[in-house]
Amino acid sequence: MSHKRMSLQHKTMFIVALPLTIMVCMGLYFGLLAASKARVESLTIEMEERTARQAAELDLFFSNVSRNADNLAQTLTALSPLPVPSVFTLAREVVSVTGISSCAVAYTVDPNTGMALHDMVRTRRIEGRIAPALISRTRLLDYINTDWFLMPQLAGKGMWTDPFYVDDLHTEIVCYGSPIFQEGKFLGVAAVSVELDSIRTVLNSINTVGSQLVLVSQYGTIVSHPDAEYALRYTLTGLANEHGGKDLQQFANDMRNLRSFGMTRLEDGILGDKEYIAYAAVGNADWVLLSIVPEATVMRPLQCSFTLWVLSSILGALCLFAAIYLSGKRKVVVPLQRLTVGTNRLARGEFRFRVAETSDTVELWQLEKAFNSMAAQLESSLLKEIEAGKAKSYAEEASRAKSDFLARMSHEIRTPMNAVMGFAHIALSRDPDTEQRNFLLKIQSAGKNMLSIINDILDFSKIEAGMLELERVTFSLKDLVADLYSIFEHSAKSHHLDFRVEVDSSLPDYLVGDPLRITQVFMNLCNNAFKFTDQGHIIVRFSLHHREGSRLMIRGSVEDTGMGISQDAQAKLFTKFTQADTSTTRRFGGTGLGLAICRLLAELMGGSIALTSREGEGSEFVVYFTCDEGRAQDLPLSTTAIASDVMDLPVECRLEARVLVAEDNEINQEIIASMLESLNIPYDIANDGAEAVRMVEASFLTDHSYALVLMDMQMPIMDGIGATRYLREHGYTLPIIAMTANALPADRDNCLREGMNGHIPKPVEPMLLRAALGYWIESTCVRPDSQ
Amino acid sequence: MKRLQARYTFAGLKSLLILGWRGIAHCAFTVAILSIGAGVALAESQGATQKPLVRIYLNWLPQSQFAGYIMASEKGFFASRGLDVRLIWALPGESSLQILERGDVEFAAARLDSALFNRAEGSTVVQVMQLYQRCALMLITRKDVQKLEQLNGQVVQTWTWDSRKILEILFKMYKVQPSQILPQSASLAPFISGLVGGAMASEFNEYLQLMNHGLRKDDFNTFAFADYGLGILGDGLYTRQDFARQNEQLVRSVREAIREGWYYAFSHGHETAEVIKNIAESKRHRTNIQHQFAMLQTVHSLITNNGEVPLENMGVLREEDFIFARDVLTRAGYAVEDLTLKSFVVGP
């Protein structure tokens, strides 16, 4: 799972920006809300007042008109019947009043005759001139069903008609009729008309900046509308039905019989959009004046100021943000970046680097101080560690150099030792006299001691250098014990000592561990015991100390009845190059490495070594080591193979088995040649690896291919490893036995890994050579008796 | 004819001088009729080969009530049949059948009851088409007038004299004695103002107008004539008996053109409403498309009797409807009992 990391810088921005943005948004929202509310409230008051004022002006206009008609009716009521010229005079006066376009006086029908009582008188303003007209009684019948005549008659008072179109005048008018009564009897009507254009002129004269006026008659007819198409063609309800807005329908209903003024907001209004509508009754005519302002118009100044406000808010927020950000960066991010740089420089090893303790933030200043303190501590401890590391490195280098030196020394010593031991062996085999034999045996003994010393030194060096790796193989404890016994059996007999090896029955037969090193430890202890014991017994014991699962802690001990060891000597006995006393060396020889190696090996095997001893009574060395419980089926085959002696093979076998010796050293060539000749085994010599390869290849082209190759390692042109690798890669499977002064276990492992079949260290132990030759030649030999 | 023309011309000029706007409008109508009449006379005198002029008098303002006639004229259905038809628009006042009877027009639209009233008074008008298949007449009353009897002593308005006759029959049947029966114009202001107790209305016009004026159904009451035993069928087309006899083919062509006009109007409702609105505007009548469209829909339900009569049967007067109307008038004392369907109807 991956985590996206955000820098403190960005995080700071985020932490600052988010609350700021929310604050700005909330501020804007509530600000807008408050501003729009205030705007609507002020608009409401303003529009209501203005509309009421406009309605009042209209009302004044209508009142003036209706008053003139009423006055005329009252005059006629008082003076009727008046002669026609007098009526004309009165009507003319009425028409001279501003706004009135015509005046008519009409009398009702005589119920007996069906005729009007008088002719109808009408005066009309036509192009500024007042034109009189007399309508005969017969034609008056056409007028008595008109609203201006009928309605005052029925109402008994003055009435305004709904506006209507007059064909002959091509104009729209509205009439006001006032009834003429005489002694309670209806006589007729005095009516005046007003052209709608006059009303519209009045409307236009009223300041309506920002709003549009709609005039609705008492019957819901739209008298005046910004879109002339609607005037007299629609009622407010009809318009609402067509627009389909429920709120407009409700509004149209509310406007019926309106007596007051107010304001409302419609979603789908009269002009077809969201709008605010102020309304006021025009009392005299029962009309309604609507003053409409689209919401967009209302909000436009608000939007402008809102835009300005938003911009200034954003600018303010940005400034605030920048201030917080820069301050945060200077006070937090920059010191932290300095600390990061410091940490990186420390990581690169600049332990002397310190950050400036300049932060004015307490926590960061403390962090800077802590950083510097840590750097100082680190510098001190790391310098010490580096010095210690260097010392260790030098020591390891020295140890490695020593090991290399010893390995080289081992090789270089073994080569001449091979000559010494080899020629001693050859000389012994040539039937020397007694004195010569004695000399030769002493040469051999001295050589063996020298080899032992070399092996001890090498082992110790390897263990100390940590280069010794223990094997983990399954082995038979009984075999190990038997081998140990067989090694020392002869010595025990010759020294008249009671030598025994006892194995506790609780121990399993098979163990997993390093049998060679176990043998090495107990051989060393036995060697010591035999060295220092003149009489009595030497007993080797193996028992189970404890078990943890399959892991066993084994207790092995070597008890003797020798001279014993003093308490002082015991304390330093297991340190290298130390013996109980210097006289020991002089008396018994030895390097003083044996017990140190035993201790190290015991420790490597997860155990320890201890000593119990009393001077003059004897000693008991106890070794604890761990092994795992093993199984018989896991035993390696090599340990089960039975070594043969080539001398046990028939002469024919030996004669037919030709051996190739790859050896560059002439002395060694001579020694091995002598050994092979003494064994009646034919051989060829190759002076280097390349020659050995050629000779093997050549032999396979004849009937006498080599039975095996004895291969030296270090040779000119091609070494033994290279030659072996070549032969194996080209399909040659004949046995190749390393015969080399590279005698270390790692050398042996390397040889086997590269395809060799065995390893004989130099100086060549003749018995070992005979066993190896016997084993490999036997496998290719066809015995005569088997035919 | 020339003398008649001269008399009407004189009267028109006189009206222009001394009459009011109403009178002038009336004169204009008269002049128009006379002018058309003069055109016919001129054509007859010159023996020209022009198409014969056919005048159809429609008994109200241009509105969807006459959509079939208008669309037949506008879409050339008359012309395609070799007819030169002029639609004559009425003003409230004189009965259309009286104008027809006078010979001022060749055809006139009128309700079935109007035709029977005229026949009772000796008129020779015959029916060419019976368009409306049910009665659209109703009496609207103020909210407080919930029964016909409550009109006693109230003022009631009605249209022309034939409308007054059918109203009087209703009042007679239900023993209603209003204080006055006043003439009714196109305006519903007296009714809306509550100045009259009742007024005549048609289902397709005045009723819709009241709704548009913001009144709701429960703001007033309606008394449909059909519900009170006076469901005499509505609009039809009439001509004079002699004219029909002499112009059988022409009458047939007029009938077919009008039928085609109605088909077109019903299948092109919005276009028809717009055409009618424009014609009304040209005749100084203020209206709007929405109202005309709503009216057209109502007229459709009248012509098809709410879907019971297929449009293919348009124009046919069923005998039972005729007999019903004749019997109503007979019972009311009008001398139409001898009138037969065959003598009343021309054509199929």
Side-chain angles (χ1 to χ4, degrees), chain A residues 271-580:
Chain A
L271 303 181
D273 208 347
K274 292 175 184 174
E275 55 199 34
Y276 289 95
I277 303 179
Y279 49 86
V282 182
N284 189 274
D286 283 343
W287 286 16
V288 176
L289 178 64
L290 306 176
S291 180
I292 304 168
V293 179
E295 191 177 65
T297 309
V298 175
M299 294 300 170
R300 193 171 300 129
L302 199 63
Q303 281 168 351
C304 291
S305 59
F306 177 70
T307 307
L308 195 65
W309 198 60
V310 166
L311 287 175
S312 57
S313 298
I314 290 172
L315 193 65
L318 280 175
C319 290
L320 185 61
F321 172 74
I324 293 173
Y325 171 68
L326 291 175
S327 169
K329 187 177 179 184
R330 190 174 63 79
K331 289 180 182 297
V332 180
V333 177
V334 170
L336 284 177
Q337 283 175 340
R338 276 206 304 267
L339 284 168
T340 307
V341 169
T343 309
N344 288 334
R345 294 181 68 167
L346 276 186
R348 287 199 299 270
E350 298 179 39
F351 302 113
R352 293 185 194 285
F353 179 79
R354 300 288 184 274
V355 294
E357 297 174 11
T358 54
S359 176
D360 56 1
T361 307
V362 175
E363 290 80 4
L364 288 172
W365 175 71
Q366 287 173 340
L367 191 59
E368 287 166 351
K369 279 177 73 71
F371 176 85
N372 285 339
S373 171
M374 178 196 72
Q377 190 74 27
L378 206 56
E379 182 187 8
S380 165
S381 60
L382 282 179
L383 284 176
K384 283 180 191 168
E385 199 172 307
I386 286 166
E387 283 170 10
K390 281 179 182 172
K392 188 184 174 191
S393 178
Y394 291 147
E396 285 173 353
E397 187 63 28
S399 177
R400 232 179 347 262
K402 185 182 73 180
S403 298
D404 291 346
F405 168 73
L406 289 172
R408 282 197 302 274
M409 189 186 73
S410 164
H411 182 268
E412 296 307 318
I413 291 172
R414 279 174 189 276
T415 303
M417 280 300 294
N418 190 40
V420 172
M421 300 287 284
F423 284 120
H425 175 75
I426 292 164
L428 282 169
S429 66
R430 299 285 171 85
D431 199 16
D433 58 23
T434 308
E435 190 178 12
Q436 287 172 332
R437 174 176 289 276
N438 189 28
F439 291 157
L440 288 169
L441 287 172
K442 283 181 178 173
I443 289 169
Q444 268 195 328
S445 176
K448 283 181 181 174
N449 281 338
M450 200 168 169
L451 278 177
S452 173
I453 289 165
I454 289 167
N455 286 338
D456 279 355
I457 289 170
L458 285 174
D459 278 351
F460 190 81
S461 301
K462 283 174 64 92
I463 293 167
E464 272 204 325
M467 296 167 66
L468 184 74
E469 290 181 3
L470 292 178
E471 282 189 318
R472 277 186 58 79
V473 296
T474 304
F475 64 95
S476 165
L477 184 59
K478 283 180 182 173
D479 289 348
L480 185 143
V481 167
D483 289 345
L484 192 65
Y485 184 79
S486 66
I487 291 168
F488 292 100
E489 183 184 16
H490 181 68
S491 295
K493 281 179 182 172
S494 62
H495 288 88
H496 305 290
L497 294 171
D498 177 12
F499 177 62
R500 280 175 285 163
V501 180
E502 298 172 358
V503 179
D504 191 88
S505 61
S506 61
L507 279 171
D509 290 340
Y510 299 100
L511 299 171
V512 177
D514 191 338
L516 290 177
R517 294 302 173 183
I518 294 168
T519 304
Q520 184 182 353
V521 169
F522 284 93
M523 275 181 64
N524 202 315
L525 294 175
C526 286
N527 270 329
N528 284 343
F530 276 97
K531 271 184 190 174
F532 300 112
T533 305
D534 296 330
Q535 59 180 3
H537 66 262
I538 295 171
I539 304 171
V540 180
R541 294 187 182 90
F542 289 98
S543 63
L544 179 64
H545 183 258
H546 69 269
R547 171 196 285 266
E548 288 178 8
S550 64
R551 192 134 185 97
L552 310 174
M553 177 62 83
I554 298 168
R555 181 183 187 281
S557 66
V558 178
E559 181 189 300
D560 66 55
T561 53
M563 59 190 290
I565 303 167
S566 69
Q567 287 294 321
D568 295 340
Q570 284 180 29
K572 50 186 178 182
L573 195 63
F574 295 105
T575 55
K576 58 186 175 182
F577 308 116
T578 302
Q579 288 186 329

Side-chain angles (χ1 to χ4, degrees), chain A residues 706-728:
Chain A
Y706 293 111
L708 66 86
V709 180
L710 294 172
M711 185 77 80
D712 188 19
M713 291 293 103
Q714 296 186 12
M715 291 185 289
I717 304 175
M718 181 185 280
D719 64 10
I721 292 292
T724 304
R725 194 181 295 147
Y726 180 89
L727 289 172
R728 292 298 184 232

Side-chain angles (χ1 to χ4, degrees), chain A residues 122 124 133-134 139 143 145 147 150 165-168 172 219 229 232-233 235 237-238 242 253 256, chain B residues 18-24 26 157 182-183 187 193 212-214 216 219 277 281 284 286 288 290:
Chain A
R122 186 175 69 187
R124 169 186 292 175
L134 182 66
R139 295 306 303 164
Y143 290 87
N145 65 345
D147 287 351
L150 198 60
Y165 190 88
V166 183
D167 286 343
D168 54 346
E172 294 155 341
Y219 305 106
E229 178 64 22
L232 300 191
R233 294 179 179 86
T235 60
T237 304
E242 187 167 291
N253 193 49
R256 291 174 62 201
Chain B
I18 62 169
L19 295 184
W21 60 271
R22 193 81 181 181
I24 289 172
H26 193 93
Q157 281 187 292
L182 294 178
S187 169
S193 304
N212 278 338
H213 277 289
R216 289 168 298 198
D219 285 335
K277 185 252 179 189
E281 288 285 331
R284 318 299 181 204
R286 298 287 186 254
N288 62 63
Q290 177 209 13

Side-chain angles (χ1 to χ4, degrees), chain B residues 15-287:
Chain B
S15 295
L16 283 173
L17 288 173
I18 62 169
L19 295 184
W21 60 271
R22 193 81 181 181
I24 289 172
H26 193 93
C27 289
F29 163 72
T30 307
V31 169
I33 294 279
L34 289 174
S35 301
I36 295 166
V40 174
L42 189 64
E44 285 173 358
S45 65
Q46 290 178 347
T49 56
Q50 289 178 337
K51 296 173 186 173
L53 182 65
V54 178
R55 296 163 295 182
I56 302 178
Y57 184 90
L58 301 172
N59 56 337
W60 204 248
L61 305 169
Q63 58 183 16
S64 292
Q65 179 186 359
F66 309 111
Y69 304 97
I70 293 169
M71 297 316 286
S73 173
E74 290 295 314
K75 295 295 165 185
F77 302 147
F78 289 125
S80 66
R81 289 171 173 82
L83 301 172
D84 181 11
V85 171
R86 303 284 159 82
L87 302 181
I88 313 295
W89 299 104
L91 285 171
E94 204 167 3
S95 165
S96 60
L97 294 182
Q98 287 172 350
I99 293 172
L100 172 67
E101 186 66 27
R102 274 209 307 269
D104 291 345
V105 295
E106 283 69 47
F107 294 91
R111 297 196 310 272
L112 178 58
D113 57 293
S114 298
L116 292 177
F117 284 133
N118 276 273
R119 288 297 292 254
E121 294 187 1
S123 169
T124 61
V125 295
V126 289
Q127 191 185 67
V128 179
M129 299 176 82
Q130 177 58 49
L131 288 163
Y132 292 9
Q133 296 297 320
R134 63 181 171 86
C135 178
L137 269 187
M138 60 173 71
L139 187 66
I140 50 175
T141 65
R142 271 197 322 258
K143 189 175 181 180
D144 58 305
V145 180
Q146 294 173 343
K147 293 179 180 175
L148 284 175
E149 302 85 70
Q150 290 175 315
L151 283 172
N152 284 332
Q154 301 265 4
V155 178
V156 178
Q157 281 187 292
T158 186
W159 304 306
T160 50
W161 69 274
D162 43 358
S163 295
R164 181 173 182 136
K165 285 185 190 303
I166 191 72
L167 183 65
E168 284 171 347
I169 292 174
L170 176 74
F171 286 165
K172 190 176 178 184
M173 285 171 68
Y174 291 91
K175 299 182 174 53
V176 178
Q177 290 186 323
S179 63
Q180 272 186 290
I181 296 178
L182 294 178
Q184 179 178 343
S185 69
S187 169
L188 289 168
F191 178 77
I192 296 171
S193 304
L195 298 176
V196 295
M200 289 290 271
S202 67
E203 184 183 332
F204 52 83
N205 189 13
E206 285 78 8
Y207 181 81
L208 297 177
Q209 279 188 42
L210 287 178
M211 295 290 134
N212 278 338
H213 277 289
L215 271 69
R216 289 168 298 198
K217 287 180 181 175
D218 55 354
D219 285 335
F220 61 97
N221 296 310
T222 57
F223 297 88
F225 276 66
D227 295 339
Y228 291 84
L230 293 174
I232 300 172
L233 301 188
D235 279 10
L237 183 66
Y238 296 87
T239 187
R240 293 183 304 278
Q241 203 167 42
D242 57 337
F243 183 83
R245 200 173 293 132
Q246 292 163 14
N247 299 280
E248 284 182 14
Q249 178 57 40
L250 186 146
V251 169
R252 199 161 33 247
S253 296
V254 166
R255 186 188 295 122
E256 290 306 312
I258 291 170
R259 282 170 63 93
E260 194 175 354
W262 280 110
Y263 288 143
Y264 188 90
F266 291 141
S267 57
H268 301 81
H270 285 284
E271 180 192 342
T272 301
E274 191 171 356
V275 167
I276 292 170
K277 185 252 179 189
N278 291 334
I279 291 173
E281 288 285 331
S282 71
K283 305 295 177 189
R284 318 299 181 204
H285 171 52
R286 298 287 186 254
T287 184

